[in-house]
Structure formats: C-alpha cells, structure tokens
Amino acid sequence: MKQTARIFAVPPAPVSRLAKISKESTRDKVYAAVRGAILSGRLRCGERVKEIPLAEELGVSRAILREAMQQLVHEGLLEFNPYRGARVIELRPEQIDEIVEARLLLETRAVRLACERIHDAQRDELHALEKQLRKEKDALRAGQLDLRLHQRIWEISGHVTIEKLLRQLTSPLFAMSLLMRSAESRKDQEASPLPRGTHERLVASICEGSPADAAREIETHLTENWTAIRRRVAEFVARQEAEKL
Amino acid sequence: MKQTARIFAVPPAPVSRLAKISKESTRDKVYAAVRGAILSGRLRCGERVKEIPLAEELGVSRAILREAMQQLVHEGLLEFNPYRGARVIELRPEQIDEIVEARLLLETRAVRLACERIHDAQRDELHALEKQLRKEKDALRAGQLDLRLHQRIWEISGHVTIEKLLRQLTSPLFAMSLLMRSAESRKDQEASPLPRGTHERLVASICEGSPADAAREIETHLTENWTAIRRRVAEFVARQEAEKL
DNA sequence: GATTGTAGTATTGTCGACAATTAGACAATG
DNA sequence: CATTGTCTAATTGTCGACAATACTACAATC
C-alpha cells in the first residue's frame, strides 16, 4: 500500500495564470521534496542518500528519483560516485570562499537592479519580511527567512539569469550553514546570531533606490555572515581530520 | 544488433592520475555526447529532441538518456515540457543580454585571476591556441577554438566555481551562435568574422600579467562579439514572427 | 466553411526486474 | 599479526514493458 504524495508539501494549487498551464511533473515534485529535505536539514551535509529507501518514502520509482537527483547534482547539492551512491555535498573552507566571492559579484549587480526596478507593493513586502526576520528568535527559521528575503530581492531585480545563478550558489552554502548550526554547541549558537542591522539597512537602501548604499550593505552583509561560517567550517573539518587519525 | 559506443567520441583514456579513478559512467558519456551534438550544431536550437530515436542511436536505454537530459536542462541547453518532449533552447535577444552581462561580471574576475596565477607552460599554450585561432578560416571551427581559448583561461584562473558558472552561461550562447551562422546567407558570414585582434591583445595582457588591460580586453571582446549576434537573433525572431502570420 | 467531436498513433511518464559493482566479513596463507 | 583471497549482502546501473498523455487527421455538426 503506497502512500504517495504524503511527503510532498503540496502547494495550494498556485493560481494558474493562463500562460502557465504546465502542470508540474512528478519529477519536479520529487526534486523539490529532496531539495527541501536538504535545505531544511533533514538530509544533512555529507550524509549518504540511498535510492531505495528514499524512493519508497516518496512513493515513486527509483528512475524518477534518479532524474531528480541528477538535477540536484547539477545544482551542487549532491555528489555522485558510480556504484557508490550519492551524498549531500560537504564544502571545504576554500570552496566557501569561492562561492561567496561569486555570489558577491552577482548579488551586487542584483541589488543595484532591484533599486531601479522595485515597485511600491514590493517595498511593502520587503519591509514586512525584514520585520518578521527581526522578530524571529529561532536560528533555523531566521536562516530560512534570510534566504527568502534574498530570493525576493533577486526576483525584484528582474534579472532571471542572475537569479538562477544565485539560487544555485546559495543552496550549498545554506546546507552547510545548517550543518554548522547542528554541529556546534547551543552556547555558540546564542553567541552568533545573524547580524540583523544589515538587513534593515539593506532593505532601506533598496526601497529608497540608493544603489551605492545597497551594494555596500550587501557586501558587508555577505562578508560578515560567511566569514563567521567559514571559520566554523574550518574548525569542523580540522576536528574531523583529527578524529580520522 | 546494437552498435554501442560508436557515437561516443571516445577520448584516448585520459591518463588517469591516481586520484581520479572514477571511471566515467554511461550517463556521463551520454551527457557529453548530447551536449556535443548541440554544441557542434548537429542538434539545432529549437529542434525537438525525441527520446527513442536518440537513445537507439546512442545505443542506450531511454532511462539513461533521460538522466543525461535532466543535466542538460539544468545547464540551460534543453527545455522540457511534460508529455511534449524536450527541445533545444532558443534564446530571445533579451536573454542574450542577460547572459552576456552575467558572463562579463564573472569573466572579468576570471581573467584578473588568470593574470595572477598563470604559469609559463600555460602562457605557451595560450599563445599556441591564439595563433591557431588566428589562422583558422572556417567560421565553425574558429568559434570552437574561441570557446576553447576562453575555457582554458577560466581553468588558469583556478576559480572552480566561476569556471562552472561560465561554462553554464556560455553553452546556450554558443548554441545560438551556431543557429545564427547556419540561418544566414554565406555572404553575411564572410562579412562578420570574429574580431581577431582582441584575442591577441587579451592573451598578451594575461601573459604579461596586466589585470586591468585584460579586463578591458575581455569586456570589449564580449561586447563586440555578442552585440553582433544579438542583432542577428533579433532579426531572426522578427523574421520568424512574420512567418507565423 | 468553420468549428467541434472522435478515433488512432506517436511520444513521453512510470515502473519493476535483472545485471554489474562495491563493501564488509571471514578464512587462508606467509 | 598482517596480508591476501573469496564469498555474501547491499546498493547502484541498466533495461524493456506498460500506462498516460498529446498530436493528427478525419468525420460530424451547425
């Protein structure tokens, strides 16, 4: 007895505008489900992903799951080794540097564009998101809100290509940040919250349309946030190497 | 009687260094084969890609082919519509603008890094490539050499993340340039060769380690080259729209 | 004549089964 | 005791078959 679709976080039938009739395929749903599992921490970085159990859990065949997994490989969330299975990626500190640098190049452009193209309704939305983020005490949910805020800004920029690239770059970073959060003691977590002030200033700059300010804010925001995480990752792999010996 | 592997451009057993024992899977070979078919013009932009004939031609099952095609979707070379099959993408002029802009952001950084990190052996290689490119009269081969030259520079930059993104951005552009070349009259082709001088200056700047010059060269190179193609694409879609009526 | 309904066919979506490969346990050998 | 060889179980790689859907042509209706 299969229990299909229980896993899928079924979205409330996204008000199909006439242009977008393309019903999403099973593969897309599986892709979203696995991606969500990684990005919510249910599948942790470095963890082996076995096809049979996961396919059964999702109520689909392995073939479909494998197709979805290929997409995740290309998105940088999974690693494949022939006959040895797939693992969720595990970034090394240098890779984090690279990804953050690339993100900076692209996201700077994105926020500048957002400054030019933002509408009033979107201004309200950004402020609401920022306010919600400021009030959120739970670290995990705060991280997810932070991600949503960024994504919203990319969308507002109207630059689809850059948006896709940023989404791709951010996924593995976010997954690693989850691993760090779960790996470290509760005390450390309290000691390093997200730098809230930068969000406020970033949103403000975009809403008043000051590209230079916005660019500066996004730079400090990214740099501060990820140098902290980079340090933790470095400590983490050092500890891991030590255990190996 | 199947004729497996006849299609695969079998590479001469890429001197496996001890670290890289991972024998490439059938899926990777299929991926490379289809990608090659698109990037060599055998599969043209906008063309429908039917699974059964292609799978038979490659001598593999549809399942494998579909996995490979998923990767190509993510790379931006294929488009999927449920139950309607896959097509090779067809870029609109605005998309070309976007991609070129993103490429510019990333490739500028790449050439600057290449200036810092290049070795003597690589200098020789770049010069050799550039010389070969300068002598090449055939437009298609010249385009492929141009691509190789760029890719080599990305590799020299040592920035794996940027390299991957650039590869992704360039694939669809290149495919479209092939379409343009085949769509237009022979006379026009002669009239618009690649701007060779910029390659020479670009390679020179990188080899002598002048980041500012190199960045300027890559910018003019990309801009000149792709505004020309963008114009042709615009004409092409206009002609196409006209035929529809 | 244009539109609508209705086969039939071609193509994609999905699945379960079997083959190939790896990893780990355990015995044999020096 | 360390090393090597062999067997077994678990897992992935590959395939062919069947179901679901979309496209085409043609007939029916107004």
Side-chain angles (χ1 to χ4, degrees):
Chain A
M1 182 167 52
K2 301 248 183 84
Q3 292 164 328
T4 311
R6 207 177 31 135
I7 294 291
F8 304 130
V10 178
V15 192
S16 62
R17 306 191 53 184
L18 219 61
K20 265 215 167 182
I21 40 171
S22 67
K23 50 187 104 167
E24 69 177 22
S25 60
T26 312
R27 173 187 48 257
D28 289 336
K29 284 188 279 193
V30 171
Y31 165 79
V34 179
R35 186 173 185 272
I38 299 175
L39 261 36
S40 69
R42 230 191 100 242
L43 254 47
R44 289 172 49 163
C45 279
E47 187 174 337
R48 171 90 177 269
V49 180
K50 293 182 193 172
E51 297 179 2
I52 300 175
L54 187 53
E56 278 177 6
E57 187 182 341
L58 292 167
V60 297
S61 77
R62 280 176 56 219
I64 306 298
L65 175 63
R66 281 173 65 90
E67 286 185 18
M69 284 168 78
Q70 284 313 315
Q71 293 187 253
L72 290 165
V73 168
H74 213 105
E75 186 169 344
L77 280 175
L78 288 182
E79 262 177 0
F80 248 88
N81 291 88
Y83 288 107
R84 283 195 220 169
R87 309 187 92 82
V88 183
I89 50 93
E90 209 168 1
L91 297 178
R92 317 208 69 236
E94 313 86 55
Q95 291 179 293
I96 293 190
D97 294 337
E98 280 200 2
I99 296 179
V100 170
E101 185 186 0
R103 236 188 107 169
L104 203 50
L105 288 171
L106 296 169
E107 202 151 6
T108 303
R109 180 71 185 131
V111 295
R112 294 189 115 104
L113 280 171
C115 287
E116 298 173 15
R117 299 182 178 172
I118 194 169
H119 293 126
D120 276 342
Q122 297 167 328
R123 278 183 242 269
D124 296 343
E125 198 183 343
L126 282 192
H127 277 125
L129 258 173
E130 191 273 321
K131 193 173 170 187
Q132 200 180 346
L133 173 56
R134 209 185 326 169
K135 285 192 300 189
E136 183 60 64
K137 294 301 176 198
D138 180 65
L140 172 59
R141 275 201 291 268
Q144 287 167 339
L145 277 173
D146 173 67
L147 186 56
R148 264 241 297 281
L149 180 61
H150 282 273
Q151 285 174 342
R152 207 64 201 87
I153 295 173
W154 307 339
E155 282 173 37
I156 293 173
S157 80
H159 199 303
V160 182
T161 304
I162 287 185
E163 185 188 347
K164 269 194 231 158
L165 294 178
L166 282 173
R167 178 188 157 105
Q168 216 175 124
L169 288 170
T170 306
S171 298
L173 278 186
F174 191 80
M176 275 307 277
S177 78
L178 289 180
L179 180 63
M180 292 305 98
R181 191 168 297 130
S182 69
E184 71 194 3
S185 69
R186 187 149 301 279
K187 180 171 62 68
D188 288 341
Q189 284 189 38
E190 306 284 328
S192 58
L194 281 174
R196 312 284 165 104
T198 55
H199 281 124
E200 200 175 346
R201 289 196 298 276
L202 175 61
V203 169
S205 311
I206 293 175
C207 288
E208 33 180 274
S210 321
D213 291 342
R216 191 162 30 78
E217 288 303 333
I218 197 78
E219 180 167 350
T220 59
H221 173 50
L222 282 181
T223 317
E224 282 177 14
N225 194 4
W226 290 105
T227 48
I229 299 208
R230 192 220 129 99
R231 203 195 54 242
R232 290 186 229 171
V233 171
E235 290 166 7
F236 180 76
V237 302
R239 212 176 325 150
Q240 224 174 16
E241 296 288 321
E243 279 175 17
K244 284 272 168 61
L245 304 182
Chain B
M1 182 167 53
K2 301 244 182 88
Q3 292 163 327
T4 311
R6 212 184 22 145
I7 295 292
F8 303 130
V10 179
V15 192
S16 62
R17 304 190 53 184
L18 219 62
K20 266 214 166 179
I21 40 172
S22 68
K23 51 187 102 168
E24 69 177 24
S25 61
T26 311
R27 172 182 3 94
D28 289 336
K29 283 188 279 192
V30 172
Y31 166 78
V34 179
R35 186 172 185 273
I38 299 175
L39 261 37
S40 70
R42 230 192 100 241
L43 255 47
R44 291 173 48 164
C45 279
E47 187 174 338
R48 171 92 176 269
V49 180
K50 293 182 193 172
E51 297 178 1
I52 300 175
L54 187 52
E56 277 178 4
E57 187 181 342
L58 293 166
V60 298
S61 78
R62 280 177 55 221
I64 307 296
L65 175 63
R66 281 173 66 88
E67 286 184 19
M69 284 169 78
Q70 284 312 316
Q71 293 186 255
L72 289 165
V73 168
H74 216 276
E75 185 170 344
L77 280 176
L78 288 182
E79 264 178 359
F80 248 89
N81 291 89
Y83 287 108
R84 283 197 221 167
R87 308 188 92 83
V88 183
I89 49 94
E90 209 168 3
L91 297 177
R92 318 206 65 238
E94 313 85 55
Q95 291 179 293
I96 294 190
D97 294 336
E98 280 201 2
I99 297 179
V100 170
E101 185 186 359
R103 237 188 106 168
L104 203 50
L105 288 171
L106 296 168
E107 202 151 6
T108 303
R109 180 71 186 128
V111 296
R112 295 190 113 103
L113 280 171
C115 287
E116 297 173 15
R117 299 181 177 173
I118 193 169
H119 292 126
D120 276 342
Q122 296 168 330
R123 279 184 242 270
D124 296 342
E125 198 183 343
L126 281 192
H127 275 125
L129 258 173
E130 191 273 320
K131 193 172 169 187
Q132 200 180 344
L133 172 55
R134 208 184 326 167
K135 285 192 299 190
E136 183 61 64
K137 295 301 175 198
D138 180 65
L140 171 59
R141 274 201 291 268
Q144 288 168 338
L145 277 172
D146 173 67
L147 186 57
R148 266 243 296 282
L149 180 62
H150 281 273
Q151 285 175 341
R152 207 62 201 86
I153 294 173
W154 307 339
E155 282 173 36
I156 293 173
S157 80
H159 199 302
V160 182
T161 304
I162 287 185
E163 185 188 345
K164 268 194 231 158
L165 294 178
L166 281 172
R167 178 188 156 104
Q168 217 175 121
L169 288 169
T170 306
S171 298
L173 278 187
F174 190 80
M176 275 307 277
S177 78
L178 289 181
L179 180 63
M180 291 305 99
R181 191 166 297 131
S182 69
E184 70 194 4
S185 69
R186 187 149 299 277
K187 179 171 63 68
D188 288 340
Q189 286 189 38
E190 307 283 327
S192 58
L194 280 174
R196 312 283 165 104
T198 54
H199 281 124
E200 199 175 347
R201 289 196 297 276
L202 175 61
V203 169
S205 311
I206 293 175
C207 289
E208 38 183 88
S210 321
D213 290 342
R216 191 162 30 78
E217 288 304 332
I218 197 79
E219 181 168 350
T220 58
H221 173 50
L222 282 181
T223 316
E224 282 179 14
N225 194 2
W226 291 105
T227 48
I229 298 208
R230 190 220 132 97
R231 201 195 56 240
R232 289 185 230 173
V233 171
E235 290 166 6
F236 180 76
V237 302
R239 213 174 325 150
Q240 225 174 14
E241 297 287 320
E243 279 176 18
K244 284 273 168 59
L245 303 181

